[in-house]
Amino acid sequence: MKFMFDSSLDWIQYTSVNVSEACAKENKLGETNVIVVGAGIVGLSVAYEALIAGANVVVVDRDPTGNKASFGNAGGIAVTEVIPASVPGVWKKVPLWMMDPLGPLALRIVHLPMLLPWLWSFARAGTDSEVRRISKALADINRRVYDDLVPLFKEVGLAGDLLRRGALTVYESENGLRNDKHEWDAKRALGVDVQELTAAQIREMEPALSPIVKNGIFTPQWSHIKDPKRVVDVLRDWVVANGGEIVRGQVDRVAPISDGAKIVLNGGREITARKIVIAAGAWSGSIARQLGDRVLIESERGYNTTIASPGVALEREVIFADRKFVATTLSVGLRIGGAAEFGGLEAAPNYARSKALVKLAKHYFPGLREEGGVEWSGHRPTTPDSLPVISRSGPSANIIYAFGHGHLGLTQGPTTGKIVGDLLLGRKPPIDLAPFSIARFSHKK
Ligand SMILES: Cc1cc2nc3c(=O)[nH]c(=O)nc-3n(C[C@H](O)[C@H](O)[C@H](O)COP(=O)(O)OP(=O)(O)OC[C@H]3O[C@@H](n4cnc5c(N)ncnc54)[C@H](O)[C@@H]3O)c2cc1C
């Protein structure tokens, strides 16, 4: 059997599963069919796992090769990021961050009424006990990242794209590092390798940095990839080459049916399947809510500029802790990025932020040439507790959520795919999924 589908959908090609030999050995799902909504890193990682498990897989995306968060991010495999955004005292820093209209944090005032429930939940996530609970959950998922990402990269032909060179977090003053000490200690306690460096050691590792850098931290477990766009392009090609189908379409509605679920596309066409996975990034909230699940997820828009010939090269990703931005040398150039703008999914981008980031970078890289920079922005799918939603939906065990990865979607994509694969197969996932449940948004504390 292939797809149960509306007979008017003759534009959907019937496909037979043709996974590579190595994958076929693990075939467990047989002919169960799976629809994945969203062709970003998360949806494609889910499709990969479902194909390996032997499912017939269709990935539906209104713009499958488009320019969403997964295509233009900073390329960091940021496994050491195990502390949530909401921590005690974070509110004290907000006015300073927001004073500069092009600073690290921005809020579009017209969006504030919609944002209030999210902000309230964000505030409640920032207590000591909540931060401990959330950090443990983040460490649990991040600890698995290389176990899942490395085999996926190898299978699809991306093994050479992963550069395991660690990352440097740099500070302009003793105070900066001292103020973050508790966070570094908390990371250490969760198994993160944290190595303090002097200015001289930093410049030896990254000679392009100016003497303005006074000290820093080396985190060897971090890595980066050559180009996020290439990762999704190669993964998408692998999905198609191995029997998956990529369908262009806007999913307007998802609904349970007996023994499965269906999607309704813009224009009214329906496709049914045994299982549906919602991996629609920052757009997933409206689908979950339409199904009857409560969820808090916002677009946290980020910006960057990629300079093909910057005159500056970095060996590893550099995080500028005082100014809250990062720089990564990718195969496509030096990418300078950051910013967190809460303005909803419909607001027009403000590329003055991309320009402001380059200005900041010049401060640290005296040799930076900024000509020919390509500006970009993307919607991080961000929950108030910094945890993704990896969960069966409330109304139907056949509808599975895989969204809300915020700053860590590239990092956690393959592991999310693995976990969703387990949920599709009815296998016990490798980590406790309670902290990632959609039900957490309905529990009143
Ligand atoms: C500036 C910036 C830097 C970042 N840096 C890093 C980093 O260094 N490391 C890291 O791990 N993460 C990073 N991230 C975060 C990461 O990029 C995201 O968490 C991740 O890409 C989210 O992937 P996704 O597949 O969930 O969503 P997306 O990539 O947004 O994909 C969702 C897809 O769903 C489709 N879709 C949505 N709704 C519908 C619908 N109704 N019907 C059909 N299709 C639909 C969209 O067209 C889209 O293709 C960064 C993000 C930004 C913005």
Side-chain angles (χ1 to χ4, degrees):
M1 190 200 78
K2 303 294 179 225
F3 275 82
M4 305 179 283
F5 71 99
D6 177 329
S7 59
S8 66
L9 287 177
D10 48 3
W11 46 275
I12 288 191
Q13 302 290 305
Y14 275 64
T15 53
S16 59
V17 172
N18 173 30
V19 288
S20 71
E21 232 173 74
C23 301
K25 281 189 208 138
E26 293 187 35
N27 182 341
K28 302 261 170 45
L29 266 180
E31 292 183 336
T32 297
N33 55 64
V34 176
I35 296 171
V36 182
V37 181
I41 184 65
V42 176
L44 291 171
S45 299
V46 168
Y48 168 89
E49 288 296 335
L51 282 166
I52 281 184
N56 278 331
V57 177
V58 164
V59 180
V60 185
D61 197 304
R62 59 179 166 234
D63 186 13
T65 56
N67 199 9
K68 300 301 182 297
S70 301
F71 302 74
N73 60 57
I77 306 300
V79 295
T80 64
E81 294 303 283
V82 293
I83 309 294
S86 182
V87 290
V90 73
W91 294 101
K92 285 188 227 146
K93 298 181 190 166
V94 167
L96 185 73
W97 289 338
M98 288 188 60
M99 237 156 45
D100 174 0
L102 299 178
L105 178 66
L107 199 160
R108 297 209 183 175
I109 212 74
V110 289
H111 188 59
L112 185 60
M114 275 78 84
L115 190 62
L116 283 176
W118 189 99
L119 283 175
W120 175 239
S121 184
F122 180 84
R124 293 199 316 171
T127 63
D128 282 324
S129 61
E130 275 297 270
V131 171
R132 266 196 305 277
R133 181 186 70 79
I134 294 166
S135 301
K136 183 188 171 302
L138 281 171
D140 282 351
I141 192 166
N142 285 3
R143 208 172 285 125
R144 279 204 58 83
V145 161
Y146 291 114
D147 295 343
D148 303 318
L149 184 144
V150 170
L152 181 151
F153 270 39
K154 199 167 158 212
E155 171 66 28
V156 306
L158 285 167
D161 283 53
L162 178 65
L163 305 172
R164 298 187 73 162
R165 300 176 184 168
L168 270 179
T169 303
V170 299
Y171 292 88
E172 286 177 51
S173 70
E174 290 298 336
N175 266 353
L177 180 53
R178 204 172 304 123
N179 292 342
D180 284 356
K181 186 179 177 316
H182 59 287
E183 238 172 65
W184 290 113
D185 288 345
K187 286 183 180 176
R188 243 188 218 117
L190 286 161
V192 175
D193 188 353
V194 173
Q195 303 177 12
E196 211 167 310
L197 300 180
T198 62
Q201 288 170 318
I202 289 169
R203 255 187 310 285
E204 199 173 310
M205 290 171 88
E206 298 294 349
L209 282 169
S210 90
I212 198 174
V213 168
K214 293 292 180 295
N215 53 36
I217 299 283
F218 178 52
T219 44
Q221 290 148 323
W222 185 300
S223 55
H224 70 278
I225 54 164
K226 285 184 179 168
D227 177 14
K229 179 179 183 310
R230 189 177 126 77
V231 168
V232 275
D233 285 348
V234 169
L235 193 46
R236 197 176 51 246
D237 288 350
W238 186 95
V239 165
V240 173
N242 287 279
E245 188 79 20
I246 309 277
V247 169
R248 183 180 292 271
Q250 157 80 28
V251 175
D252 278 351
R253 211 160 66 79
V254 180
I257 56 169
S258 72
D259 203 22
K262 68 173 180 183
I263 59 171
V264 183
L265 294 179
N266 188 269
R269 288 169 161 170
E270 296 188 358
I271 316 177
T272 62
R274 295 279 302 283
K275 309 273 179 199
I276 292 181
V277 181
I278 310 301
W283 295 267
S284 304
S286 57
I287 298 177
R289 282 190 282 272
Q290 163 262 305
L291 270 161
D293 278 312
R294 183 167 191 267
V295 63
L296 292 169
I297 178 169
E298 282 291 329
S299 154
E300 181 190 344
R301 196 174 208 144
Y303 290 84
N304 58 41
T305 300
T306 306
I307 305 170
S309 306
V312 161
L314 295 171
E315 188 63 14
R316 53 191 64 74
E317 189 160 350
V318 177
I319 299 116
F320 299 89
D322 309 276
R323 313 289 183 122
K324 305 262 172 274
F325 75 101
V326 305
T328 327
T329 292
L330 302 171
S331 58
V332 287
L334 181 70
R335 182 160 293 168
I336 300 158
E341 181 186 77
F342 291 87
L345 286 161
E346 303 304 328
N350 173 9
Y351 287 114
R353 296 194 172 284
S354 298
K355 293 181 183 55
L357 288 163
V358 175
K359 242 192 184 160
L360 272 183
K362 279 197 83 112
H363 194 57
Y364 291 91
F365 300 117
L368 180 65
R369 287 201 300 264
E370 53 187 289
E371 302 81 49
V374 176
E375 294 166 351
W376 178 85
S377 83
H379 296 285
R380 298 185 192 94
T382 299
T383 59
D385 58 11
S386 300
L387 292 173
V389 179
I390 310 173
S391 166
R392 294 187 195 281
S393 80
S396 169
N398 294 320
I399 301 172
I400 295 169
Y401 297 130
F403 62 80
H405 295 75
H407 289 236
L408 294 176
L410 171 67
T411 306
Q412 296 170 344
T415 295
T416 301
K418 186 73 159 188
I419 293 169
V420 171
D422 287 339
L423 294 178
L424 290 170
L425 289 161
R427 270 189 322 224
K428 190 175 167 346
I431 59 170
D432 174 20
L433 288 189
F436 306 99
S437 170
I438 188 93
R440 70 189 194 267
F441 298 103
S442 307
H443 296 153
K444 297 241 175 353
K445 284 186 195 139

